[in-house]
């Protein structure tokens, strides 16, 4: 600060408009007497503080809820001068010039909401006010029981008690009594087996009393837990089927049984081809739908109530027999269809099925895998990678055991108003296969009879089966009664000069029972089979599709085509 001079009168001097910097300012005053005596000197410090104090309140938090009878006030003041802190008009703390922390300052609380207003005043008289709202609730002790569950069923007169004490009491003061007997605590938690009152099966009550103390005084909590002693095993009584041993053609057996037990619910374990458990509430009946495997089935029902009591197992013996004639039971399950589609019935002879619409006799071709091959003699230029392919047919299908006869096709023409067949030579009879039928006419016949054309893969698999060494339906090589007989086309075959009735060549039969798949003659028309719609690519070799030429009277590697049907 720069120096200056002024005159003093009557022993006094006044300096106005003295500029100060913020903070402490040192002033030196020197007085020279007029009579020439030695000058007198004095020093003083003047602090400039134009801003109010800055107060930061660390505790308590605004909106605090506590059961304690009081809180502590803590924080910090920043100011160039000394600051006084007042609460409710009473000075509770002071901070030195430059500021600093304050507290903890104990502040008592009454029940309910209290607003704490802190006023900070610095040496220049400037003030800063801060307010906090705090609510004091009554102190409480909580009793949380995790086990046993309410209304638990137990098979003995002891039960595991588990839980914890919560609230405002100090851990050292906590106590827990169950029916008057102390229960050990681990801190505030408990996990202990306690006895139940002796007596017959029925309800028992556990009275829990927890005590403790806090700064607000003694605390107490009570609870009552009810459990049921159940030492009786549940009982199952079969209602349906009427007898524990039965025979059925149904694929699903409906079981009904009465459940007798005092527990809240009973779990019934069912063991058959699979295992599962069904909970049955008290007073309700067990009702199950059990899927049956073909042949003998043993169904075991074992009841276990919620208390852990296991009752006597109930066993039901069921034999599922396939529907249809007696021969069906002699055919292995994998070699026949699981169900028959609409329009197909059982045949009189073993492994035969009948198409109701046109009367065709069908055979069943189950799912399978095989190596599908091209005819190398007809296609010698094919690269090796196209001469064969692995094919898997994922669904079984029905195929005609014999070709469609002239009589069947004539009936189709009559019912649909189509041009009837031309009169054949005298040696061709109505039970001979129909010939000279176009592909579109064969498709129309399939639509009328509920059929579809088989794919190349389905035809070849039905003719050769899964054996890669089988060249022809009957096996490998030429032989009498099979292809060798067919080769004598220009010689009379018995009384026939051209086509013959289906099944005439007993050795020309495929592994699945389809006859004449090596064809009787060039130009013979469709051999139909029953089959429902299926995707064109289903089981078909890549790059190939159903061959229409097989229905057009032109010689193919198959000779004749047949319709097909797949159960949905």
């Amino acid at each position: 600060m720069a120096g200056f001079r002024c005159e003093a009168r009557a022993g006094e001097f006044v300096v106005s408009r003295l500029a100060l910097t913020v903070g402490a300012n040192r002033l030196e005053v020197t007085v020279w007497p007029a009579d020439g005596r030695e000058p007198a000197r004095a020093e003083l410090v003047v602090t400039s503080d134009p801003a109010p104090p800055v107060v930061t309140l660390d505790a308590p938090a605004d909106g605090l809820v506590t059961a304690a009878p009081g809180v502590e006030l803590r924080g910090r003041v920043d100011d160039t001068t000394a600051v006084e802190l007042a609460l409710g008009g009473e000075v509770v703390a002071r901070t030195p010039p430059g500021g600093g922390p304050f507290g903890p300052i104990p502040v008592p609380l009454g029940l309910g909401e209290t607003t704490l207003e802190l006023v900070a005043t610095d040496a220049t008289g400037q003030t800063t006010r801060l307010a906090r709202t705090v609510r004091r609730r009554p102190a409480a002790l909580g009793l949380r029981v995790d086990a046993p569950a309410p209304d638990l069923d137990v098979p003995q007169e002891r039960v595991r008690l588990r839980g914890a004490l919560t609230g405002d009491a100090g851990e050292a003061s906590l106590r827990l009594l169950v029916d008057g007997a102390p229960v050990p605590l681990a801190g505030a938690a408990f996990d202990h087996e306690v006895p139940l009152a002796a007596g017959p099966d029925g309800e028992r009550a556990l009275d829990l009393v927890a005590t403790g103390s806090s700064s607000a005084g003694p605390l107490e909590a009570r609870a009552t837990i009810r459990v049921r002693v159940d030492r009786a095993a549940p009982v199952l009584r079969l209602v349906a089927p009427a007898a524990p041993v039965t025979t059925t053609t149904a694929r699903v057996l409906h079981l009904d049984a009465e459940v007798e037990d005092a527990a809240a619910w009973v779990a019934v374990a069912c063991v058959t081809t699979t295992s599962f458990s069904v909970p049955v509430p008290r007073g309700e009946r067990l009702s199950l739908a059990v899927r049956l495997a073909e042949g003998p089935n043993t169904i075991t029902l074992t009841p276990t109530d919620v208390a852990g009591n296991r009752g006597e197992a109930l066993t039901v013996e069921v034999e599922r027999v396939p529907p249809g004639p007696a021969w069906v039971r002699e055919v292995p399950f994998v070699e026949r269809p699981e169900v028959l589609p609409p329009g197909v019935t059982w045949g009189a002879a073993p492994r035969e099925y009948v198409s109701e619409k046109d009367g065709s006799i069908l055979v069943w071709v189950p799912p399978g895998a095989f190596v599908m091959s091209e005819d190398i003699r007809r296609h010698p230029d094919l690269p090796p990678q196209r001469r064969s392919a692995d094919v898997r047919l994922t669904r079984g299908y029905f195929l005609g055991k014999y070709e469609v006869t002239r009589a069947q096709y004539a009936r189709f023409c009559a019912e649909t108003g189509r041009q009837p067949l031309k009169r054949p030579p005298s040696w061709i009879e109505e039970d001979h296969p129909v010939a000279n039928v176009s592909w579109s006419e064969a498709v129309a016949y399939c639509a009328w009879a509920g059929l579809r054309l088989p794919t190349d893969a389905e035809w070849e698999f039905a003719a050769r089966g899964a054996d890669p060494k089988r060249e022809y339906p009957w096996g490998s090589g030429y032989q009498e009664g099979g292809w060798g007989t067919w080769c004598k086309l220009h010689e009379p075959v018995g009384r026939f000069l051209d086509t013959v009735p289906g099944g005439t060549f007993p050795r020309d039969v495929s592994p699945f029972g389809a006859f004449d798949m090596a064809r009787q003659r060039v130009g013979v028309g469709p051999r139909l089979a029953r089959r429902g719609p299926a995707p064109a690519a289903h089981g078909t070799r890549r790059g190939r599709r159903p061959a229409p030429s097989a229905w057009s009277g032109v010689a193919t590697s198959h000779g004749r085509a047949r319709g097909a049907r797949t159960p949905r």
Side-chain angles (χ1 to χ4, degrees):
M1 180 179 293
F4 59 92
R5 291 174 176 271
C6 64
E7 293 184 358
R9 296 180 180 180
E12 295 180 359
F13 64 90
V14 177
V15 179
S16 61
R17 297 181 181 180
L18 184 62
L20 300 176
T21 59
V22 176
N25 295 264
R26 179 183 294 276
L27 302 180
E28 292 185 3
V29 180
T30 303
V31 179
W32 286 273
D35 56 7
R37 288 177 297 172
E38 289 293 323
R41 293 179 173 82
E43 292 185 1
L44 68 154
V45 176
V46 179
T47 301
S48 175
D49 184 11
V54 177
V55 181
T56 302
L57 197 56
D58 299 328
D62 193 26
L64 174 69
V65 178
T66 180
V71 294
E72 292 182 341
L73 207 63
R74 294 193 306 275
R76 179 180 178 82
V77 173
D78 291 297
D79 198 83
T80 57
T81 65
V83 176
E84 288 187 345
L85 300 171
L87 190 65
E90 180 181 351
V91 176
V92 294
R94 292 182 174 84
T95 58
F102 64 89
I105 304 169
V107 180
L109 297 175
L111 290 176
E113 189 172 276
T114 301
T115 299
L116 306 178
E117 186 178 30
L118 183 67
V119 180
T121 305
D122 63 13
T124 66
Q126 300 180 93
T127 61
T128 297
R129 296 175 182 271
L130 288 179
R132 290 287 186 271
T133 299
V134 180
R135 185 170 66 87
R136 178 188 171 190
R137 59 170 176 78
L141 178 62
L143 176 55
R144 188 189 78 236
V145 178
D146 300 327
D151 300 318
L152 176 69
D153 290 273
V154 294
Q156 69 282 324
E157 292 181 336
R158 300 188 68 82
V159 68
R160 196 79 187 179
L161 188 66
R162 186 174 66 253
L165 304 181
T166 62
D168 305 309
E171 286 189 2
S173 67
L174 293 176
R175 299 289 184 275
L176 177 62
L177 302 178
V178 177
D179 290 341
V183 173
L185 297 175
F190 53 91
D191 187 352
H192 189 68
E193 191 176 74
V194 297
L196 300 174
D201 287 2
E203 188 178 88
R204 304 285 195 278
L206 291 174
D207 292 321
L208 282 66
V209 179
T211 59
S213 60
S214 70
S215 57
L219 302 173
E220 182 180 280
R222 293 176 177 269
T224 298
I225 305 298
R226 300 186 183 279
V227 297
R228 175 182 293 275
V229 176
D230 179 13
R231 288 167 285 203
V235 177
L236 283 181
R237 291 187 176 87
L238 186 65
V239 176
V245 179
T246 186
T247 301
T248 181
T249 60
R251 300 169 66 186
V252 176
L253 178 69
H254 293 278
L255 276 172
D256 286 319
E258 293 179 344
V259 182
E260 182 180 314
D261 196 75
W265 54 269
V266 174
V268 180
C270 179
V271 179
T272 176
T273 54
T274 59
S275 300
F276 57 92
S277 181
V278 179
V280 182
R282 181 168 48 221
E284 295 189 12
R285 177 180 289 187
L286 171 68
S287 182
L288 290 177
V290 181
R291 188 176 181 88
L292 300 176
E294 191 166 298
N297 292 262
T298 300
I299 303 171
T300 303
L301 305 175
T302 305
T304 304
D305 64 20
V306 69
N309 302 302
R310 177 172 295 182
E312 184 178 350
L314 177 63
T315 301
V316 179
E317 300 286 347
V318 183
E319 182 178 5
R320 178 191 163 197
V321 296
W327 65 259
V328 178
R329 305 178 190 179
E330 305 299 325
V331 178
F333 177 73
V334 295
E335 297 180 13
R336 54 181 166 82
E338 187 174 0
V339 294
L340 294 186
V344 176
T345 60
W346 308 100
R351 298 179 185 266
E352 286 187 356
Y353 309 86
V354 179
S355 170
E356 294 178 333
K357 179 66 176 178
D358 66 349
S360 294
I361 297 178
L362 312 176
V363 295
W364 172 250
V365 182
F370 73 109
V371 178
M372 187 173 177
S373 304
E374 288 285 2
D375 189 342
I376 304 303
R377 291 168 296 183
R378 296 182 63 240
H379 305 284
D381 298 330
L382 280 177
Q385 64 270 22
R386 292 193 56 194
R387 293 182 181 180
S388 64
D390 293 331
V391 175
R392 176 175 294 278
L393 299 175
T394 58
R395 293 186 296 173
Y397 52 96
F398 293 94
L399 192 73
K401 187 171 185 177
Y402 310 106
E403 296 94 343
V404 172
T405 65
R406 292 181 57 83
Q408 289 176 300
Y409 196 80
R411 178 187 165 198
F412 156 68
C413 292
E415 291 190 12
T416 59
R418 290 179 174 268
Q419 183 70 26
L421 295 171
K422 294 180 180 180
R423 184 177 181 84
S426 60
W427 60 81
I428 296 180
E429 301 179 9
E430 290 301 300
D431 61 349
H432 285 220
V434 66
N436 301 319
V437 177
S438 70
W439 181 81
S440 59
E441 289 171 331
V443 171
Y445 185 98
C446 285
W448 168 76
L451 309 173
R452 72 164 176 84
L453 298 181
T455 64
D456 269 2
E458 289 167 339
W459 179 280
E460 185 171 335
F461 182 62
R464 295 175 48 235
D467 185 359
K469 298 180 180 180
R470 182 184 291 268
E471 296 180 84
Y472 303 103
W474 58 82
S476 300
Y478 299 151
Q479 56 178 301
E480 290 297 320
W483 183 264
T485 301
W486 179 89
C487 289
K488 302 176 180 180
L489 285 175
H490 299 92
E491 299 179 13
V493 181
R495 62 186 178 90
F496 305 108
L497 299 176
D498 199 337
T499 58
V500 297
T504 298
F505 305 127
R507 296 186 183 180
D508 186 4
V509 59
S510 79
F512 303 107
F515 280 84
D516 305 325
M517 296 197 75
R519 76 172 178 249
Q520 292 187 27
R521 64 179 289 270
V522 175
V524 172
R527 164 199 294 263
L528 296 184
R530 298 287 299 200
R531 193 165 189 236
H538 171 65
T540 304
R541 181 178 175 182
R542 182 169 53 207
R544 302 185 66 183
R545 57 188 179 87
S549 61
W551 287 90
S552 62
V554 179
T556 68
S557 61
H558 300 315
R560 295 174 311 283
R562 306 179 182 217
R565 176 165 183 174
T566 301
R568 291 176 182 266

